[in-house]
Amino acid sequence: MSAFQSIVILTGAGLSAESGLSTFRDKDGIWAQYDYREVATPEGFARNPAKVLEFYNRRRRENKGVQPNAAHLALARLEQAYSGDVLIITQNIDPLHEMAGSKNLIHMHGEIGKKLCAHCGIRSDWGDEELLVESKCDACAMIGGMRPDVVWFGEMPYRMEEIYEAFTRCDMFISIGTSGTVYPAAGFAAAARQVGARTVELNLEPSEGVSLFHEARHGKATEIVPPYVEELLFGNP
Ligand code: OAD
């Protein structure tokens, strides 16, 4: 018997750290090297599109060849084997959840494997080419508006209606590998508590919002997520 009927899982950069991808706010993280206002805002793109595109071209190159780790695989197994619903909402733009086999997945901050035309709004697969200021949209033929299909600071994350709908029925919320500092995701633990869900944090260290969680386990994702999934599948955590 499953104790929980509807599990919502939020993941962040810490989940992919052991696959070799950088986090944002750790001391050697991405925001220690770059000013997010320059590379992850619509205003930064308007000011210096070449700099923004080079930042994402580089991040896309870093994503090439990465593999899901034991924590991604455990979460995919949970979705497949659990008798209740499991929804993963990820802030990560990498493709590691889907590579691990997760299906019920929302990329709320977009995907590094897709591009978006700022002129016509068409989203499409980002092929092998680098995105450049002079790249042309395949759909509207405009030049100068091609950008990665990722959500920047000041933009609305994707699929928020579906996400909030999921929080009306969830009875367990698990936050994994995220500092919990970026809204709206930073508000999900409170949203889950409002509907009476059990809240769990699995993270390297206590996040800023750790007091919002009924239970917290701290350690590397590959070491703490697989045993937690086993407990959900076979025992009472
Ligand atoms: P952060 O870099 O803010 O937080 C990563 C969290 O993962 C930290 O709390 C780390 O302690 C933890 N961590 C690091 N290594 C870990 C490991 N091996 N196992 C488990 N946990 C580990 O990244 P996010 O919370 O994902 O948005 O950041 C949220 C958003 O801020 C991102 O989606 C991005 C960023 O700015 C945009 O770019 C719009």
Side-chain angles (χ1 to χ4, degrees), residues 12-14 18 24-25 31 91 109 151 153 178-179 203-205 221:
E18 291 164 83
F24 293 94
R25 293 173 184 80
W31 297 151
Q91 299 167 93
H109 287 171
V151 175
F153 289 93
T178 174
S179 59
N203 201 47
L204 189 61
E205 59 198 5

Side-chain angles (χ1 to χ4, degrees), residues 78-236:
L78 178 67
E79 182 190 336
Q80 282 149 17
Y82 197 64
S83 56
D85 290 338
V86 176
L87 169 67
I88 296 177
I89 303 167
T90 188
Q91 299 167 93
N92 298 341
I93 59 176
D94 66 57
L96 295 177
H97 277 301
E98 47 273 49
M99 286 171 72
S102 290
K103 303 266 186 271
N104 199 16
L105 171 68
I106 294 178
H107 272 284
M108 67 179 291
H109 287 171
E111 294 172 65
I112 193 73
K114 294 198 171 143
K115 59 188 177 180
L116 165 69
C117 174
H119 292 299
C120 71
I122 285 279
R123 300 159 73 186
S124 53
D125 284 341
W126 180 352
D128 287 332
E129 82 285 6
E130 302 248 294
L131 280 187
L132 303 170
V133 176
E134 54 273 19
S135 295
K136 190 159 119 183
C137 174
D138 303 331
C140 73
M142 290 287 280
I143 289 173
M146 293 313 295
R147 54 169 281 186
D149 186 16
V150 300
V151 175
W152 288 330
F153 289 93
E155 296 182 321
M156 181 61 80
Y158 289 134
R159 299 171 67 180
M160 287 309 297
E161 275 186 28
E162 265 176 87
I163 290 173
Y164 282 120
E165 200 274 324
F167 277 108
T168 62
R169 58 190 148 74
C170 99
D171 51 11
M172 180 176 234
F173 171 68
I174 311 175
S175 174
I176 307 177
T178 174
S179 59
T181 48
V182 176
Y183 282 86
F188 290 173
R193 285 192 77 125
Q194 263 181 2
V195 296
R198 180 171 176 79
T199 55
V200 180
E201 167 167 287
L202 305 177
N203 201 47
L204 189 61
E205 59 198 5
S207 71
E208 280 185 19
V210 69
S211 61
L212 287 166
F213 295 93
H214 294 109
E215 180 186 356
R217 295 190 189 180
H218 297 125
K220 289 182 174 180
T222 58
E223 291 169 9
I224 60 175
V225 175
Y228 198 81
V229 163
E230 291 303 302
E231 287 176 32
L232 281 170
L233 288 173
F234 301 115
N236 263 344

Side-chain angles (χ1 to χ4, degrees), residues 1-74:
M1 191 193 81
S2 305
F4 303 100
Q5 295 308 310
S6 177
I7 302 178
V8 174
I9 299 170
L10 173 70
T11 65
L15 184 70
S16 298
E18 291 164 83
S19 291
L21 295 175
S22 298
T23 60
F24 293 94
R25 293 173 184 80
D26 291 306
K27 73 172 171 7
D28 50 355
I30 293 171
W31 297 151
Q33 298 160 52
Y34 294 90
D35 182 338
Y36 78 90
R37 289 163 297 197
E38 289 179 9
V39 296
T41 62
E43 295 78 17
F45 186 58
R47 270 195 305 271
N48 192 344
K51 181 171 190 168
V52 174
L53 294 177
E54 177 43 32
F55 172 72
Y56 285 99
N57 283 328
R58 181 172 308 143
R59 290 192 63 199
R60 202 172 68 112
R61 286 196 296 271
E62 287 162 3
N63 269 257
K64 285 234 161 80
V66 292
Q67 292 297 324
N69 63 46
H72 296 101
L73 294 167

